Amino acid sequence: MADQYDYIIVGGGLAGCVVASRLHQGDPSKSILLVERGPDEQQHPLITNPVAAPLIPVKSNLVSKYDTVPQAGLADRSILNLAGNVLSGSSAVNYGMWSRGDQVDYEQWAKSSGDSRWTYERMMPYFNRSEHHHDPGADSKLHGFDGPIHTISGRQYPLRDAVYNAFHGAGCQDNPDANSGHPLGLAKYTENWHKATRQPAGTAYPLKGIEVMTNTTVRKLLLKDHSATGKMLATGIEILSGRQIHARKEVIVSCGAHRTPQLLILSGIGPEAELAKHGIHQLVNSLFVGQNLFDHLALGIAWKLKPSVQERGAALGHPEWKNNPSNAEGMPMEWILHSSVPPSALLPALQADGETLTASKQLLLKERVHTMMIVAYGPMAMGPNRSIPMDGSHISTIALLYQPTSRGSVTLSSAHPEDNPVVDPAYYHTQADKVMLRAAVRTLLRVVETPAMQNVIECESPPEGYPPLTSKSTDEEIDARVAGFATTIHHPAGTCAMGSVVDGQLKVKGVNGLRIVDASVFPAPVSGALQASVYAVAELASDLVLGDAKKDSKDAVDAITPSELVAEMAGSIRDALPASMKVL
């Protein structure tokens, strides 16, 4: 293995694999090193199986586990956060949901970064480049059909009609394509399994021709003064053994929202107080490294099916469930509802939180997506210490907060790179978060109360000591349930955000030759699961890196004077001549 490469990519997760693959495709002459902290287990049976995702944290070491600090908004509970610890990262261990979010989300990205390339319209080619859309009749302006990631939608489960009719009975309207940039309404649930198999990023995007180091922890980034620009210059990495590996062109960090800020701080890039706390010499004063953490919080509620419905094998765990092979092709979900909270309800909460009208403007748009709701054909997102049987007797409703205004942080627990960072997402901290998640919970409770759902559901199975919830439950009763049992669905982002830590080209401010490509660069939340957005970010970033490489090559040619070019050509001709003619 060499000690120098053109590009070093730290983090072989979703984004790292995409960038490595695209850089090699764009210029096969360049050498690329991809360094991953976890193993290469992309063919592990728990990874390839679409319905095994819930078992991965329990039966393998393929995820990193981060216990948050006690969360004041959640009854001082510590919430378990998970992230992929394997080549391909979270794309190898997630639940497979495929959603792009609301186009307004990306307007906020463009505003925060000061760069219009992050609008939804300009990101569209990159969403499409990654996608092999399941519907060949879909609008080719909105979807891609030749990308590496295949999507699926439309499996039919026993409760399909009952759930659909219940959503309509609660007043929900259909949306034929929730991935058009306008997700508001009721749509078919979309995933990214292909032929009943997972598509990890490192297999969908080939890594042939790329040097891959797995089971390797990076201790720090190597930086030196770059006097010509007045900035630091990233020159490579140092791994845990002490070995140093150098980059001729760029170092790209793709370690995710938890580990990317940790690595920057360990390397001397961050706020002075945090660095001094751990005896790390500050090389770059970057105040917001590790700040701006946000995540998607969810509340699951378990509902017991009527005995006659249970006997039909309508829920996960019943023996009859296995008799339909398509039930094993993805997560047991079929419909997804994206919803908006009226400005009249949200504005007072934002004002109580001290938010200005300017800062809140996009959240207050009438059709802005704030929340997501799903009916799952099994007890999911139940929170801690729940003993709901997975035997076909229960389904669940899941309400999820897509646009939290709470912001947390990732800081160091020690100066050792193998120690977990301190994670504080500040879940359910603001009044606005409470208003939005309560609204989603109440919407689902109204769905359950429709005749269509009452025909199949017997009752709620509430946690011991808690009253059953209804659409008439008080704010206090809903808040108590959230405080005791809400959980994350593992979508952390924002800790090295565009506009504060990186610029619109994802270059770390104050450092040349260093870029970040992962969900940590999101300046604001996305109203969707993160993976489709991360694929698009990585595709766009690959073009940025390749574009800079071409510019550097052009600048190098332009820098040669005409007389130098003539001399160089003459020298080349002379070298090619036979020895007897070189006197010429």
Side-chain angles (χ1 to χ4, degrees):
M1 182 172 289
D3 287 324
Q4 191 174 64
Y5 296 82
D6 290 304
Y7 298 103
I8 297 176
I9 301 171
V10 185
L14 188 163
C17 288
V18 173
V19 173
S21 184
R22 290 304 195 196
L23 291 185
H24 180 68
Q25 293 171 42
D27 189 351
S29 69
K30 296 297 185 290
S31 57
I32 302 168
L33 174 65
L34 180 65
V35 184
E36 167 54 36
R37 183 171 169 264
D40 181 359
E41 291 279 1
Q42 295 176 102
Q43 298 306 314
H44 192 291
L46 289 177
I47 286 177
T48 57
N49 186 341
V51 295
L55 300 176
I56 291 174
V58 179
K59 295 190 174 183
S60 78
N61 63 346
L62 302 177
V63 294
S64 295
K65 299 178 181 180
Y66 306 101
D67 290 312
T68 71
V69 301
Q71 297 294 288
L74 300 180
D76 289 328
R77 289 189 291 127
S78 176
I79 307 300
L80 178 62
N81 278 224
L82 303 175
N85 184 43
V86 60
L87 189 64
S88 292
S90 293
S91 72
V93 299
N94 65 21
Y95 279 39
M97 181 177 170
W98 189 258
S99 57
R100 296 179 177 183
D102 190 331
Q103 71 170 18
V104 180
D105 300 337
Y106 303 95
E107 301 300 326
Q108 183 62 47
W109 286 24
K111 180 179 178 182
S112 296
S113 66
D115 193 327
S116 64
R117 81 180 78 234
W118 297 105
T119 61
Y120 189 80
E121 181 180 8
R122 292 190 62 185
M123 285 186 68
M124 185 76 75
Y126 300 102
F127 280 114
N128 292 351
R129 184 192 289 179
S130 68
E131 183 181 66
H132 190 120
H133 193 61
H134 56 275
D135 180 4
D139 190 337
S140 61
K141 294 179 181 178
L142 301 178
H143 293 287
F145 301 92
D146 301 311
I149 306 300
H150 293 250
T151 65
I152 62 169
S153 186
R155 285 191 309 279
Q156 297 192 15
Y157 293 94
L159 294 180
R160 175 185 180 84
D161 291 341
V163 172
Y164 178 79
N165 292 334
F167 274 115
H168 272 263
C172 305
Q173 301 298 312
D174 286 340
N175 182 338
D177 185 358
N179 281 327
S180 65
H182 302 281
L184 200 65
L186 180 66
K188 292 178 181 178
Y189 186 77
T190 301
E191 302 164 283
N192 67 314
W193 314 107
H194 181 48
K195 297 181 179 178
T197 303
R198 184 189 289 278
Q199 305 167 87
T203 59
Y205 286 76
L207 298 179
K208 185 178 180 180
I210 296 159
E211 191 77 47
V212 179
M213 291 175 64
T214 54
N215 297 303
T216 302
T217 298
V218 174
R219 183 191 300 276
K220 64 179 180 179
L221 306 170
L222 299 177
L223 305 175
K224 71 175 185 180
D225 286 323
H226 195 218
S227 55
T229 62
K231 297 181 179 181
M232 300 301 291
L233 174 67
T235 62
I237 61 173
E238 181 177 305
I239 63 177
L240 201 58
S241 67
R243 179 186 171 196
Q244 295 188 350
I245 309 173
H246 296 276
R248 284 182 284 264
K249 289 188 170 292
E250 281 195 31
V251 178
I252 299 163
V253 179
S254 300
C255 300
H258 296 129
R259 292 286 182 176
T260 288
Q262 179 191 33
L263 180 58
L264 263 63
I265 296 170
L266 289 172
S267 306
I269 305 171
E272 185 175 7
E274 179 64 16
L275 292 162
K277 190 188 306 181
H278 300 282
I280 301 170
H281 177 60
Q282 186 183 59
L283 297 175
V284 179
N285 182 20
S286 189
L287 294 175
F288 299 103
V289 172
Q291 303 302 305
N292 193 49
L293 174 64
F294 45 83
D295 191 8
H296 290 156
L297 187 70
L299 178 68
I301 300 176
W303 303 94
K304 187 175 182 180
L305 295 172
K306 291 182 175 180
S308 59
V309 179
Q310 293 182 37
E311 291 170 4
R312 290 161 42 197
L316 183 64
H318 193 280
E320 285 293 322
W321 181 267
K322 297 181 180 179
N323 289 338
N324 184 349
S326 70
N327 288 351
E329 294 178 0
M331 289 293 104
M333 305 171 192
E334 199 162 12
W335 303 103
I336 183 168
L337 175 68
H338 295 90
S339 187
S340 181
V341 177
S344 59
L346 189 53
L347 178 58
L350 290 165
Q351 291 173 332
D353 291 330
E355 298 284 350
T356 65
L357 188 58
T358 300
S360 305
K361 185 177 180 181
Q362 287 189 311
L363 272 181
L364 293 170
L365 293 175
K366 186 176 180 182
E367 295 189 348
R368 180 66 188 272
V369 170
H370 299 112
T371 60
M372 178 271 280
M373 287 141 277
I374 286 177
V375 175
Y377 303 132
M380 305 182 73
M382 290 291 99
N385 304 318
R386 296 299 310 275
S387 57
I388 304 297
M390 188 74 75
D391 60 1
S393 62
H394 285 76
I395 62 173
S396 55
T397 55
I398 303 169
L400 188 141
L401 174 59
Y402 263 157
Q403 287 294 323
T405 60
S406 300
R407 295 292 184 269
S409 63
V410 172
T411 54
L412 298 189
S413 60
S414 80
H416 197 288
E418 290 194 310
D419 289 343
N420 281 351
V422 177
V423 178
D424 181 7
Y427 292 123
Y428 218 51
H429 181 70
T430 64
Q431 291 302 311
D433 286 5
K434 292 179 171 63
V435 166
M436 287 185 278
L437 190 52
R438 283 181 205 139
V441 171
R442 279 206 174 86
T443 295
L444 280 173
L445 292 169
R446 287 196 298 272
V447 169
V448 171
E449 291 165 1
T450 61
M453 284 294 275
Q454 288 298 301
N455 285 338
V456 299
I457 284 174
E458 186 172 282
C459 62
E460 186 196 346
S461 295
E464 185 176 352
Y466 288 77
L469 292 176
T470 74
S471 61
K472 305 298 183 183
S473 293
T474 65
D475 289 349
E476 291 75 17
E477 287 172 327
I478 293 175
D479 284 347
R481 186 71 72 87
V482 171
F485 298 95
T487 187
T488 175
I489 57 168
H490 316 294
H491 292 167
T495 49
C496 292
M498 282 189 280
S500 56
V501 177
V502 300
D503 64 17
Q505 297 183 67
L506 308 184
K507 296 178 179 179
V508 176
K509 294 183 177 184
V511 186
N512 289 325
L514 182 62
R515 223 180 287 246
I516 298 175
V517 186
D518 58 32
S520 72
V521 304
F522 290 16
V526 170
S527 296
L530 301 193
Q531 68 165 337
S533 301
V534 176
Y535 274 112
V537 168
E539 290 276 16
L540 194 160
S542 303
D543 274 6
L544 292 175
V545 176
L546 290 167
D548 278 0
K550 291 178 182 177
K551 180 177 180 295
D552 290 344
S553 299
K554 181 179 182 300
D555 289 346
V557 172
D558 290 346
I560 301 175
T561 65
S563 59
E564 290 172 332
L565 184 59
V566 170
E568 182 179 326
M569 292 173 63
S572 299
I573 294 171
R574 181 173 298 171
D575 291 342
L577 292 173
S580 60
M581 299 180 64
K582 284 189 178 178
V583 293
L584 298 174

